[in-house]
Amino acid sequence: MSRLGYGRVLLTGSTGFLGQAVLERLLADHPETEIVLLVRGRPGVSAAERLRRLLAKPVFGRWRNRVGEQRAEQVARDRISVIEADISRTVPELPAGLTSVIHCASVVSFDPPVDEAFRTNLAGTVNLYEGIRRSVAGDGGDGGDGGAGGAGGAGGAGSGHNAGPHLVHVSTAYVAGSRGGIVPEEPLDHTADWRTELDWALAARETVERDSRRPEVLDRARREALADHRKAGPQAVAAATEGRRRDMVTERLVEYGRARARSLGWPDVYTLTKALGERAAEEIADASPLSVVRPAIVESALRRPYPGWIDGFKMADPVILAYGRGMLRYLAAVPDGAIDIVPVDLVVSALLAVATAPPEPGRPAYYHVGSGARNPLTVQRLYELVRGYFEEHPLPDADGRGVIRVPDLDFLSGHRADRGLRTAERAMGVAERVLLSLPANDRTQDWQRGLHRQRTQLDVLRRYSDLYGAYVQAEVVYSDDNTLGLHRSLTKRERERSGFDTAVIDWPHYLQQVHCPGITASLRRIAGPRPAGGRPGAPALPERRDVAAVFDLEGTVVASNVVEGYLWLRLLDASPQEWPRALASLARSLPRYLLAERRDRGEFLRAFLDRYEGANEAELRALARERLAGTVLRRAWPQAVRRIRQHRAAGHRTVLLTGAIDLFVEPLHALFDEVVASQLRVVDGCCTGQLERPPLVGEARAAWLREWSRAESLDLAGSWAYGDHYSDRPVLEMVGHPVAVNPDGLLFRHAKQRRWSIERWEGDVLGLAATLAEAQAAEARP
């Protein structure tokens, strides 16, 4: 392996899971190797900065300890050259003297939009290898679109002719497509033309974008947005309409890729583009040695850089975690079929061994790196080992006080699973529509929580069925004769240190002591037990004077609404004998008010406040001061009052933002630094039934908060907002700490989707009848 150790290696995909592992091995075990990285920059983050952050990750700890933490940055500068490039778009000038190119860059999602998959997995491959070919030919390219002349002339395998660097092309075992039996290590047998498919895929977005802007499509999207978001305001409806259009574009492009892949015999667009990438590499790399390495399902490290290392969740992990969280009870899979898992460090060892064994130019070599041929793991055995792990080491539940008991897992055929999912999805849709039409209370919110859990489980089942069905239902074995032969060609010391024979994997040890602990560690850290004795929903608030806590009034601070407020005034000012007439008058108008409230919160307020027409303002305010103040305070949620005081104690600016008229909120002024409410228009001392200015509801509240916070130099990202109604959504979305309090159905669903805090405030507040009775009794006392 000395040739690799003293060469210059170009690596793509170094920020990905496999690429990180390759880079770590090159740094730690091949100190004489020069490394060239092609790294894509991100907005505001250069490629060099991405590398600096990358090398600080735990995966590079072994290397940092070896060279010393103080010297690591200097050693990296001496050994690594970073070229900022997006090879899916263009190829930069490449350095001279490359001996090997390890191409790991790839979109690894199974179902990305078709143009994204083709651009990265195929166009990126084509651009990279064409740039190398031009360099080898001494063409020199045309500036930024190709490699520099002479880059390949000084490299290669030392063969004495103008061969380019050894191209180690990382593919996947699943390029074999949807088939059964034994798959040999050889070129793929298909007739798909990669150039035609690439042109079609890159043009697909323009077609779908154009179709998404047709009037009938936009009208349908807007009707759906109005049904869900009308109460949040016109801009929320517009944003939701555009969001639906973009989602339709993405979904359609995903469908394009899935349908085209399956029509050609591949399970998804990922495997299709990887297969076409192989064919493109074979055609383009005519002057360079080419080795195609096809790993199976790459998972956490067996030993290096340390047992259990993994970056993110890979193919099998979401399924394992969903099961451990009690969310997976069914799986469309063949129990006795093999699931071909291989630890990432064995793949890296195979890749670097392949890099030292270049084939003759024009005669590519192929290697499968997996466990199915040498050490098969069945789906049934995987389930048994994973179940055993979670039974011994269960995950904590949502409260952090109990644990989750894993269920029995039933294996279903693909057809049976799909039929059951379609039935469940239809039933779920009906249940959601019914629940959203019901008033918010403890019972309906409990139903919604249960429905949300079931919806999450159903979505998990659907996603895993669509994405992974072809992989866990396949009855295929990827032969690894070439890979095993290469492993056996190593010296005994090399095999002990960097071998890649998957027969060494002890599945119970790997899954129960290495892999599952590795992928569940982050969940266990996050789900620590909540402090005992603390009130639910009473968090410790940081002391800051540059943030605000914004509260809605009705349903959030007080257990009332505009209608109830009117009744307080009307009935408190009347004798009990007059109450039936007042209540009947209100009841006759309720259908009109409810219809207005469904359409627009502001329209409802204007319609209802018309009832104050002709009222004497002075008498109204006197009545509010003398008899309504105590009623309002008695109807305030104790949790609300405590939370407001906690915010004020922490130095936060407390704001009451409501569409209710100001005379109702006067008793609460002492709790807040800022009170913004509606004002009745008064002419000659009498209320007109109209407002002085439009009420602050929905988006108008958000606009006011934006301007006010700017004028007061407050940080909204560090601020809090509390609301109970879907019309409060625009304000809740403006702050860093939104809290849905006793939310209605739409807000509850939205808060769940956005993972906002949801709190149930209740306590010793008097109902309307009790409030009136108490007021009358107080009036009768001498």
Side-chain angles (χ1 to χ4, degrees):
M1 302 179 72
S2 60
R3 198 182 65 78
L4 176 67
Y6 294 95
R8 172 179 280 185
V9 177
L10 173 68
L11 176 64
T12 70
S14 59
T15 58
F17 175 46
L18 181 57
Q20 289 180 55
V22 172
L23 178 59
E24 189 277 338
R25 189 77 65 85
L26 290 174
L27 286 170
D29 291 359
H30 299 275
E32 301 302 320
T33 303
E34 295 180 46
I35 306 168
V36 180
L37 302 181
L38 293 181
V39 180
R40 182 171 53 188
R42 288 180 174 173
V45 183
S46 67
E49 175 60 19
R50 289 191 71 189
L51 174 63
R52 189 189 68 78
R53 297 179 184 179
L54 182 70
L55 295 178
K57 295 176 70 171
V59 62
F60 296 97
R62 182 173 70 110
W63 166 71
R64 291 197 306 270
N65 291 337
R66 182 170 296 179
V67 300
E69 290 283 352
Q70 302 302 318
R71 294 186 59 244
E73 194 168 323
Q74 182 60 49
V75 171
R77 281 196 297 267
D78 293 342
R79 292 189 55 194
I80 303 175
S81 301
V82 182
I83 300 174
E84 186 160 327
D86 179 358
I87 63 172
S88 70
R89 304 284 180 176
T90 186
V91 176
E93 183 175 342
L94 300 176
L98 294 175
T99 55
S100 300
V101 174
I102 303 177
H103 181 35
C104 293
S106 175
V107 167
V108 295
S109 170
F110 294 151
D111 63 341
V114 66
D115 59 322
E116 294 178 12
F118 271 82
R119 188 174 295 283
T120 299
N121 290 352
L122 183 51
T125 295
V126 170
N127 291 341
L128 177 64
Y129 294 159
E130 284 188 339
I132 292 171
R133 183 170 67 173
R134 285 194 296 267
S135 298
V136 171
D139 182 23
D142 57 354
D145 290 332
S159 58
H161 56 75
N162 194 31
H166 181 195
L167 307 182
V168 181
H169 179 83
V170 181
S171 184
T172 172
Y174 295 97
V175 291
S178 303
R179 65 182 67 197
I182 297 175
V183 177
E185 295 167 296
E186 60 184 29
L188 300 174
D189 181 17
H190 68 81
T191 59
D193 183 81
W194 64 265
R195 292 178 177 85
T196 301
E197 299 299 330
L198 178 59
D199 290 343
W200 163 79
L202 296 183
R205 182 171 292 274
E206 182 179 350
T207 300
V208 175
E209 287 280 2
R210 182 177 60 249
D211 289 346
S212 75
R213 289 170 168 81
R214 289 185 289 117
E216 59 271 24
V217 175
L218 295 175
D219 287 345
R220 182 173 66 251
R222 187 170 185 276
R223 285 195 301 271
E224 293 172 355
L226 276 168
D228 285 346
H229 305 283
R230 185 195 303 270
K231 294 179 181 179
Q235 289 305 308
V237 171
T241 302
E242 178 62 9
R244 276 172 162 74
R245 187 197 67 80
R246 290 177 178 172
D247 288 345
M248 285 188 288
V249 168
T250 299
E251 290 167 7
R252 189 67 173 151
L253 290 171
V254 169
E255 290 170 0
Y256 268 47
R258 184 183 300 130
R260 186 55 181 148
R262 292 177 178 176
S263 75
L264 292 171
W266 281 276
D268 49 52
V269 74
Y270 167 69
T271 50
L272 168 62
T273 53
K274 295 298 282 186
L276 297 179
E278 282 193 19
R279 184 56 45 85
E282 293 160 354
E283 292 184 15
I284 297 169
D286 50 0
S288 295
L290 172 66
S291 295
V292 177
V293 180
R294 298 168 176 162
I297 301 171
V298 184
E299 289 291 352
S300 64
L302 179 63
R303 290 188 296 266
R304 302 165 69 186
Y306 55 84
W309 172 75
I310 195 168
D311 187 67
F313 295 138
K314 306 308 158 192
M315 176 181 162
D317 305 335
V319 181
I320 292 173
L321 292 173
Y323 176 70
R325 294 167 66 187
M327 298 170 62
L328 196 63
R329 298 176 182 273
Y330 308 96
L331 187 65
V334 177
D336 56 1
I339 182 163
D340 208 323
I341 290 174
V342 57
V344 65
D345 46 339
L346 300 191
V347 179
V348 172
S349 294
L351 276 173
L352 297 186
V354 167
T356 67
E360 288 296 320
R363 300 184 63 183
Y366 299 86
Y367 301 90
H368 286 149
V369 186
S371 59
R374 294 272 294 156
N375 190 5
L377 173 70
T378 66
V379 174
Q380 178 68 38
R381 182 64 171 145
L382 172 65
Y383 160 60
E384 291 168 355
L385 292 172
V386 169
R387 181 188 178 106
Y389 171 77
F390 283 118
E391 285 178 340
E392 187 172 349
H393 308 284
L395 290 174
D397 62 15
D399 293 330
R401 299 186 183 279
V403 296
I404 299 170
R405 299 300 178 187
V406 290
D408 292 332
L409 187 65
D410 289 336
F411 296 105
L412 306 177
S413 67
H415 173 72
R416 183 181 168 200
D418 187 60
R419 184 177 59 191
L421 283 170
R422 287 199 303 270
T423 301
E425 286 164 345
R426 287 194 295 268
M428 187 69 66
V430 171
E432 286 175 339
R433 288 192 294 272
V434 170
L435 266 182
L436 288 177
S437 67
L438 298 177
N441 54 44
D442 288 344
R443 177 175 294 180
T444 57
Q445 286 195 6
D446 285 343
W447 290 343
Q448 277 195 293
R449 288 187 181 91
L451 196 64
H452 179 78
R453 285 193 296 270
Q454 293 175 34
R455 165 60 74 180
T456 301
Q457 292 177 11
L458 188 59
D459 289 345
V460 166
L461 288 170
R462 169 57 73 187
R463 180 167 179 80
Y464 294 162
S465 177
D466 289 346
L467 291 185
Y468 302 145
Y471 297 90
V472 295
Q473 296 178 62
E475 299 180 59
V476 63
V477 175
Y478 303 102
S479 69
D480 60 356
D481 295 340
N482 294 346
T483 304
L484 185 59
L486 183 61
H487 166 80
R488 288 172 175 169
S489 72
L490 304 178
T491 66
K492 180 180 179 181
R493 185 164 181 266
E494 287 172 338
R495 289 197 300 269
E496 291 173 350
R497 178 172 175 77
S498 301
F500 39 92
D501 182 359
T502 55
V504 303
I505 304 171
D506 177 349
W507 290 118
H509 167 78
Y510 174 70
L511 288 170
Q512 295 184 331
Q513 298 182 42
V514 176
H515 185 64
C516 287
I519 64 173
T520 60
S522 59
L523 292 180
R524 296 183 192 280
R525 286 194 298 268
I526 293 170
R530 296 180 181 176
R535 287 191 182 94
L541 301 173
E543 293 189 5
R544 292 183 61 176
R545 298 193 176 279
D546 63 337
V547 297
V550 184
F551 290 80
D552 173 51
L553 175 65
E554 295 148 338
T556 303
V557 174
V558 297
S560 68
N561 52 42
V562 171
V563 176
E564 218 173 285
Y566 168 80
L567 281 175
W568 289 343
L569 280 176
R570 181 71 182 87
L571 301 183
L572 286 171
D573 192 40
S575 67
Q577 290 76 21
E578 297 177 283
W579 290 358
R581 191 192 317 167
L583 291 170
S585 172
L586 181 62
R588 285 192 297 272
S589 300
L590 273 180
R592 177 165 61 94
Y593 296 148
L594 290 172
L595 185 62
E597 203 274 339
R598 284 196 201 100
R599 286 195 299 263
D600 180 81
R601 186 75 169 166
E603 181 181 341
F604 162 69
L605 287 171
R606 291 184 180 93
F608 192 84
L609 294 179
D610 183 61
R611 286 183 163 270
Y612 290 94
E613 182 180 5
N616 182 282
E617 183 203 16
E619 293 177 358
L620 201 60
R621 291 194 177 277
L623 178 64
R625 275 194 309 272
E626 296 167 8
R627 307 188 63 181
L628 185 61
T631 302
V632 171
L633 293 175
R634 283 190 292 272
R635 294 283 285 160
W637 298 117
Q639 296 96 325
V641 175
R642 281 197 297 267
R643 188 65 56 83
I644 296 165
R645 288 171 175 166
Q646 287 170 350
H647 280 291
R648 295 195 81 174
H652 307 168
R653 296 283 295 277
T654 53
V655 182
L656 179 63
L657 196 53
T658 178
I661 55 178
D662 56 351
L663 58 90
F664 286 113
V665 302
E666 284 186 9
L668 300 172
H669 271 251
L671 288 172
F672 295 96
D673 299 306
E674 191 86 22
V675 175
V676 181
S678 299
Q679 288 184 316
L680 287 169
R681 185 166 182 264
V682 177
V683 175
D684 297 330
C686 288
C687 299
T688 65
Q690 299 172 338
L691 294 171
E692 279 290 347
R693 60 185 65 86
L696 283 180
V697 295
E699 291 167 354
R701 293 191 193 185
W704 179 90
L705 180 60
R706 184 183 302 110
E707 292 304 313
W708 178 77
S709 63
R710 185 179 296 127
E712 300 292 325
S713 300
L714 298 177
D715 174 25
L716 287 181
S719 296
W720 284 257
Y722 299 81
D724 71 301
H725 194 271
Y726 195 66
S727 62
D728 299 321
R729 174 188 154 185
V731 168
L732 293 169
E733 289 182 335
M734 290 189 67
V735 301
H737 305 284
V739 182
V741 177
N742 305 345
D744 64 15
L746 283 173
L747 182 59
F748 181 90
R749 184 178 68 178
H750 189 72
K752 276 289 189 182
Q753 291 170 345
R754 301 291 290 271
R755 297 187 177 183
W756 291 351
S757 295
I758 299 176
E759 298 188 15
R760 188 72 191 167
W761 287 357
E762 53 193 359
D764 298 327
V765 295
L766 294 179
L768 177 62
T771 301
L772 291 170
E774 183 181 276
Q776 292 295 330
E779 184 74 15
R781 285 195 293 268

